Amino acid sequence: MRHRTVSEVMTRDVVTVPPAAPFKEIVRLLVAHEVSAVPVVDGERRLLGVVSEADLLRGTAELPALEGRWAGVRLLSREYGLPEAETAAELMASTAPTAHPDWNLSETARTMRREGVGRLPVTEGGARLVGIVSHRDLLRPFLRDDAAIREEIERDVLAGVLRLVPGTVRVSVTNGVVTLTGRVDERADVSVIVRLCRWVDGVVALHESLDHAHDDLTLDVEPSRRERSG
């Protein structure tokens, strides 16, 4: 079995800015490229931080409300709340979480959820930026053809990992939804088969109707007193 990695789905042509990039230039890049954040890099493409839409809007959100004030009343200096950050270096979050090109997509999704972000810069070799991966990129495996998913399950999981006789478990896939039918030897085999098939990239959901010849979870391995005495 082989899981897709970040390097296979990430965007390599990343829109970046230098530390000295001015506020308005960052806004222009976000709008022009329809992205929600840009990495900040130095001359060697080492990642220094990330500037997001939220970082740019922070100053505006902190402005005081002026409704109801008399005309001509001066604001105290502490009330202005104007954004002091003017460049990427001043705006960026320098502790942005990152991903590695070799991470699998499940690990990457968990990191995004834990960090509460919709994208991760991808770095390697001393924080050098090599790409960026987003929620949309993680969805790409779900575009896999049903036939490709079925082939991987039959070849890599059932025959390759589990070494089942061909035809023991029948596989059908429709719109990424896998259905397994057939009969296996042990009851415990069912959960293993389901778990391994569910891990195949592109599987949306899985339904099984697998019968078993033996219920190995209820075997009585302790002989009765009468059997021991006999």
Side-chain angles (χ1 to χ4, degrees):
M1 294 178 64
R2 176 182 173 277
H3 286 289
R4 274 63 183 171
T5 62
V6 166
S7 64
E8 295 177 87
V9 301
M10 71 184 185
T11 299
R12 297 179 181 273
D13 186 15
V14 186
V15 179
T16 63
V17 295
F23 189 105
K24 282 196 172 184
E25 177 60 23
I26 300 171
V27 174
R28 277 193 288 268
L29 285 173
L30 293 181
V31 173
H33 294 276
E34 298 182 343
V35 293
S36 60
V38 288
V40 183
V41 298
D42 63 13
E44 298 179 354
R45 288 189 66 81
R46 286 194 299 262
L47 181 67
L48 305 176
V50 174
V51 178
S52 68
E53 292 170 331
D55 297 322
L56 296 170
L57 290 171
R58 186 172 297 116
T60 300
E62 293 173 355
L63 287 172
L66 301 183
E67 292 83 353
R69 287 187 177 272
W70 293 346
V73 174
R74 293 183 57 191
L75 292 172
L76 299 176
S77 59
R78 66 176 181 273
E79 292 183 290
Y80 276 102
L82 296 176
E84 296 181 356
E86 300 176 8
T87 66
E90 297 167 331
L91 289 158
M92 70 183 187
S94 58
T95 58
T98 61
H100 190 274
D102 293 336
W103 282 11
N104 64 51
L105 304 190
S106 296
E107 182 179 10
T108 307
R110 286 194 296 269
T111 301
M112 287 185 182
R113 182 172 59 183
R114 182 178 66 249
E115 299 292 340
V117 295
R119 96 302 288 168
L120 291 171
V122 184
T123 61
E124 65 177 3
R128 185 174 65 88
L129 183 72
V130 295
I132 194 165
V133 61
S134 68
H135 281 155
R136 183 176 300 175
D137 296 324
L138 298 185
L139 291 173
R140 288 182 187 175
F142 291 105
L143 297 177
R144 292 186 72 194
D145 184 81
D146 288 342
I149 297 172
R150 177 184 175 184
E151 180 182 0
E152 183 173 343
I153 289 175
E154 292 178 337
R155 183 193 64 228
D156 296 348
V157 178
L158 302 180
V161 176
L162 300 173
R163 301 194 179 280
L164 295 179
V165 175
T168 301
V169 174
R170 295 176 294 278
V171 184
S172 64
V173 184
T174 304
N175 293 325
V177 178
V178 175
T179 301
L180 305 176
T181 57
R183 182 180 178 87
V184 297
D185 289 336
E186 309 290 347
R187 179 181 175 186
D189 294 340
V190 175
S191 60
V192 175
I193 293 170
V194 168
R195 187 163 62 249
L196 291 177
C197 292
R198 188 64 182 86
W199 283 347
V200 170
D201 287 340
V203 174
V204 174
L206 187 146
H207 305 287
E208 59 86 8
S209 181
L210 296 173
D211 196 6
H212 51 275
H214 307 289
D215 192 345
D216 53 324
L217 300 181
T218 60
L219 290 177
D220 182 8
V221 297
E222 180 68 20
S224 66
R225 180 177 302 177
R226 179 175 298 178
E227 290 173 334
R228 290 198 301 266
S229 63

